Amino acid sequence: QVQLVESGGGLVQPGGSLRLSCAASGSISRINDMGWFRQAPGKQFELVAIITRDGETTWADSLKDRFPISRDNVKNAVYLQMNSLRPEDTAVYYCHAIVRLRGREGFFPYWGRGAQVTVSS
């Protein structure tokens, strides 16, 4: 019913930048929070950043200065600009959205399949 498709991942050298995009499609009435989570090899799944429909943001403390998040409510899209990338940022990055479907009440969480980001020289 709802698909979240990430793009923009890849291989980048330390200090470089990448921009992740995520577009939601399907039978969508409204999207509340959108955001990004990540899972690095051997580490726990963790929050990267979340942005509300009104633009309020929440980040993992260590990422706020390097990973600005933005969204386009018309396009049902969320973006993560990743700057000054470090090897420890290597992870699969997952898009997340809280969605109300057309004709239904309540909001439900949806996830993308993930985008691999590898930071290596």
Side-chain angles (χ1 to χ4, degrees), residues 57-79:
T57 52
T58 302
W59 281 276
D61 287 342
S62 62
L63 299 177
K64 182 175 183 178
D65 293 334
R66 296 190 295 125
F67 288 9
I69 187 172
S70 60
R71 68 186 280 175
D72 184 328
N73 291 333
V74 173
K75 295 181 178 180
N76 287 333
V78 62
Y79 310 97

Side-chain angles (χ1 to χ4, degrees), residues 3 35 54 91 93 111 118:
Q3 296 80 41
D54 296 331
Y93 286 71
W111 294 91
T118 302

Side-chain angles (χ1 to χ4, degrees), residues 24-115:
S25 62
S27 185
I28 297 169
S29 172
R30 182 183 176 92
I31 301 177
N32 278 355
D33 295 356
M34 299 187 81
W36 297 90
F37 290 73
R38 70 183 183 183
Q39 186 160 30
K43 295 188 177 180
Q44 290 186 334
F45 194 68
E46 64 175 356
L47 166 73
V48 176
I50 292 175
I51 183 168
T52 69
R53 186 173 184 84
D54 296 331
E56 295 181 3
T57 52
T58 302
W59 281 276
D61 287 342
S62 62
L63 299 177
K64 182 175 183 178
D65 293 334
R66 296 190 295 125
F67 288 9
I69 187 172
S70 60
R71 68 186 280 175
D72 184 328
N73 291 333
V74 173
K75 295 181 178 180
N76 287 333
V78 62
Y79 310 97
L80 187 71
Q81 178 66 43
M82 300 185 293
N83 300 317
S84 301
L85 282 161
R86 304 167 182 170
E88 55 264 39
D89 295 318
T90 295
V92 178
Y93 286 71
Y94 295 91
C95 178
H96 175 64
I98 306 295
V99 180
R100 184 175 68 198
L101 302 178
R102 292 197 192 106
R104 295 185 62 180
E105 295 185 2
F107 287 82
F108 300 90
Y110 289 88
W111 294 91
R113 292 190 173 185

